[in-house]
Amino acid sequence: MLISLLCPTRNRQKSLNDLIESILNTVSDINNIELLIKQDEDCLYLLDSKYTFIRPFIGKKTDFLNCDYYNFLAKEARGDYLFSIGDDIRLKTKDWYLILQNKVEKYLIDKPDRIAYISVTERGSKAKHPCFPIITKEAFNKLGMYFHPQLLSWGADRCIYEVYSGIDRILHIPEIEIEHISYHDGKAEYDKTAQSMKERFFRDPSCHNLVSKNVVPKNIKMLNDYINNFQNI
C-alpha cells in the first residue's frame, strides 16, 4: 500500500516544514507515504535529503493550480490512494493511513472497478463539501483528472464532489482529522499565495458554476457507464 500526498507549494517554506513534521508525527511507517510537491522554478526551497519519502517537481509558474499542479502530481503519483493537500494542511490522526486503507478496502470489496472518493474530518471547516478529498488511483485514471483543469483555483473541490456524488461513490471517514491553517478563520497570514488564489477565482467567479452545469453531468454519465459495464463483464 502507498498513499500519495499531492502538494503544490509557493513562498511557504516554514508552512511546508510544518506539514512535513505533521506527517512524520502521525505516520509510523513512512514507507507507506510519498509526498509529491510541485514548486515553481523561481521559488525553490531547500529540502532535507534525509526525507526520502518526498518527491519534488519543478516547473514554470502558471495560473492553473488544478491542471498544472494537482493533475500533474496525480499523473506522477505511485500510490493506491491520492490525497490532495496544501502546505497549509496538518495531519492530526495517528496512523491515519492505516485507518484509510482499512476503511477504503472494506468499502471497495464489492466494487471491483475501485472507483471511489473519500472525505475526512476537516477541523473547523464551514464548507458544504470537502475541500481536501482523496480519490483512488483508478478513479483518477478513468476520469483523467483529479480536479477540473479549466478552473484556475477555488471551486474545483465543489465540482469534483458533485461528480462523485452523482455516481454515489463517496466514503466519509470521520476518524481521520486534518486541520487547514487558513487566513479565512484567522489561523494564517493573508499572504501573496492566498491573495493570488483569490484573485484568480474572481477573474471569473461563475466559472465553477459553468463546469457544474456543462461538464459535471458528462463526467457522471461516463463514470456510471463505466461502472455498469464493468459489473457486467
Side-chain angles (χ1 to χ4, degrees):
M1 178 205 52
L2 184 64
I3 299 173
S4 299
L5 299 167
L6 315 179
C7 182
T9 183
R10 180 175 175 83
N11 287 329
R12 290 178 174 174
Q13 173 106 48
K14 183 183 183 305
S15 189
L16 180 65
N17 290 341
D18 290 344
L19 166 64
I20 293 169
E21 183 178 355
S22 81
I23 295 171
L24 294 172
N25 287 341
T26 56
V27 172
S28 299
D29 185 355
I30 201 62
N31 292 317
N32 288 305
I33 305 296
E34 63 171 6
L35 172 63
L36 291 80
I37 66 171
K38 178 75 181 294
Q39 304 177 78
D40 298 327
E41 61 186 12
D42 67 333
C43 180
L44 299 181
Y45 305 158
L46 293 175
L47 297 171
D48 196 321
S49 60
K50 71 180 179 181
Y51 297 137
T52 56
F53 68 97
I54 298 178
R55 297 176 58 205
F57 297 87
I58 300 169
K60 292 183 178 180
K61 180 184 177 183
T62 87
D63 285 342
F64 287 86
L65 173 68
N66 300 299
C67 177
D68 296 331
Y69 295 82
Y70 281 119
N71 289 353
F72 170 85
L73 291 174
K75 289 177 184 177
E76 298 291 339
R78 301 166 180 159
D80 303 298
Y81 320 122
L82 313 181
F83 194 170
S84 62
I85 60 171
D87 52 30
D88 51 3
I89 289 297
R90 308 291 176 260
L91 287 303
K92 294 295 183 179
T93 305
K94 185 67 176 176
D95 287 336
W96 55 270
Y97 66 103
L98 295 176
I99 300 170
L100 177 66
Q101 181 192 30
N102 179 262
K103 295 286 186 177
V104 173
E105 293 307 318
K106 283 184 178 179
Y107 178 73
L108 292 175
I109 198 166
D110 60 348
K111 301 173 180 64
D113 52 79
R114 293 183 60 83
I115 304 293
Y117 169 112
I118 303 98
S119 64
V120 301
T121 296
E122 299 176 1
R123 287 187 184 178
S125 175
K126 295 180 176 60
K128 296 179 181 179
H129 53 269
C131 297
F132 301 95
I134 303 164
I135 61 173
T136 57
K137 185 69 170 181
E138 290 83 0
F140 171 75
N141 287 339
K142 186 58 192 174
L143 194 56
M145 65 179 180
Y146 201 115
F147 292 121
H148 289 87
Q150 56 269 65
L151 299 177
L152 293 177
S153 62
W154 296 342
D157 47 5
R158 191 197 81 180
C159 291
I160 206 65
Y161 176 73
E162 292 169 344
V163 172
Y164 291 99
S165 295
I167 63 170
D168 192 25
R169 282 296 181 89
I170 291 182
L171 170 66
H172 182 54
I173 308 179
E175 301 98 314
I176 299 176
E177 293 191 13
I178 64 173
E179 183 177 11
H180 185 200
I181 310 299
S182 169
Y183 77 90
H184 290 288
D185 50 15
K187 294 178 183 176
E189 175 190 358
Y190 182 47
D191 61 12
K192 290 182 179 180
T193 300
Q195 293 170 32
S196 174
M197 287 284 290
K198 184 175 181 179
E199 184 276 325
R200 278 176 280 167
F201 175 77
F202 280 103
R203 287 182 202 174
D204 184 6
S206 65
C207 59
H208 59 304
N209 292 327
L210 293 176
V211 169
S212 292
K213 179 182 178 181
N214 299 322
V215 182
V216 166
K218 296 177 183 178
N219 299 148
I220 291 172
K221 183 180 185 308
M222 186 270 286
L223 287 177
N224 268 328
D225 289 347
Y226 174 75
I227 290 169
N228 291 333
N229 290 334
F230 201 102
Q231 291 172 342
N232 293 328
I233 294 175

